[in-house]
Structures are given as structure tokens and as C-alpha cells.
Amino acid sequence: MVYAKPLSRIPWEDQFRTPSLEDLRSHYNRQLGQLVTSAREKLLSFDEVREDLEWMGLPWRWTMVYRCPDDPTQAWAYLIPHREKPLIATPLSQDMIDALPMSRLRKFIREGLDSGRMVAGTRWVAWDVTNKTHLDLVIELLKRKHKFIMARN
């Protein structure tokens, strides 16, 4: 009897084995791998932000979760090492969205905000981060969210 070879999964998809951070970027080409490293460095550069690697279920699977104290949303940001390209997601309360200078935000960010899903009073938004420009735009939005959270304390 011939048995089929079991499918190999990339570390991001394997719920039963906690991957290393290096494993999570190993399936990307050099450019995207460096982008994930740069994203982690920038996200961790904010005051009082900590990183945790958590299994988030489908569709995010293993995700780097960034939290800061007194954040009214579930987490400050998520870095998702998706199979095709990295994603950065963030939940935003309506107060946070109202505080954003929409006319000064770039189209890439505004479209992400418009397409986010509203769940229990929180808008969940995510962006594909495929180049440094997109990363910098998302980091700028996260800087505004961080400032909003810290101003409330």
C-alpha cells in the first residue's frame, strides 16, 4: 500500500509547534524578510509596547501581538506573517478614528480605514505591507494611536 507524503506546512500555519521569530520570516524572499524585521524593530521602538507571539486561529494563525498599557482595544497592533505577504492590523475605537486628521492621511491608509470591519464598536483594519513606504505609512498611523492612548493616561 502506498501512502501519501504528508503535506509540509510553513511554521506560520503549524498550530502545534510554536515557531521562532526566524521561522516566521523564513518563507519570505529577502526583501519581505527584511521588511518584517524592520516592522518589528519599529513597533518595539514605542514606549511601553511589548511583543508576544500568539496563536490567533484562522486566518491569522501565529501572529506577533503588540500591546501597550491602558489600550482600550484588544491590542495596539498585530504583525501577521501571512503566507504571501506580511500584514499589519490594528483595532481602532470610534474615538480614535474621530481624532485622526483624515484629510492629511494618505490614500493607502484612508482606504484601509474605510474597508475595516466594525465589530462591537471597534473597527478592525489591516494593511498589506509589501514595501517600506507602506510600512512607514502604517507606522505613522500607529504612532497617532499610541499618542492617543498615552494622552488618555
Side-chain angles (χ1 to χ4, degrees):
M1 179 171 267
V2 178
Y3 292 98
K5 182 179 176 183
L7 296 174
S8 65
R9 293 182 171 184
I10 61 172
W12 174 68
E13 296 176 330
D14 191 352
Q15 175 182 1
F16 302 105
R17 183 178 138 313
T18 304
S20 70
L21 295 173
E22 185 60 37
D23 288 341
L24 287 176
R25 59 178 286 245
S26 65
H27 63 281
Y28 291 130
N29 63 30
R30 196 175 114 233
Q31 176 192 355
L32 290 178
Q34 289 174 344
L35 201 60
V36 168
T37 300
S38 178
R40 286 189 62 236
E41 290 169 358
K42 289 179 181 194
L43 292 168
L44 288 170
S45 71
F46 288 88
D47 290 339
E48 301 184 46
V49 170
R50 73 176 202 284
E51 176 186 71
D52 296 307
L53 180 62
E54 297 180 15
W55 176 259
M56 300 300 292
L58 297 176
W60 286 1
R61 298 172 173 88
W62 286 106
T63 297
M64 288 160 272
V65 181
Y66 297 87
R67 293 186 172 90
C68 62
D70 301 318
D71 185 349
T73 58
Q74 289 187 351
W76 177 63
Y78 299 87
L79 176 58
I80 305 127
H82 192 272
R83 177 184 286 272
E84 288 92 29
K85 58 195 165 287
L87 304 166
I88 295 181
T90 187
L92 296 167
S93 68
Q94 191 59 49
D95 290 343
M96 292 174 183
I97 293 171
D98 292 342
L100 292 172
M102 294 304 244
S103 62
R104 291 194 313 210
L105 295 177
R106 300 283 293 272
K107 183 179 178 185
F108 175 73
I109 297 298
R110 286 193 318 266
E111 287 176 348
L113 291 169
D114 291 342
S115 66
R117 291 181 180 245
M118 188 66 90
V119 178
T122 301
R123 185 171 302 274
W124 288 80
V125 293
W127 293 270
D128 296 342
V129 181
T130 55
N131 59 51
K132 185 180 180 311
T133 302
H134 288 169
L135 174 60
D136 291 342
L137 291 172
V138 174
I139 293 296
E140 182 62 35
L141 177 78
L142 291 172
K143 185 186 298 182
R144 291 177 188 278
K145 180 180 178 182
H146 189 267
K147 186 176 178 180
F148 180 89
I149 293 166
M150 294 300 153
R152 291 270 169 124
N153 297 334

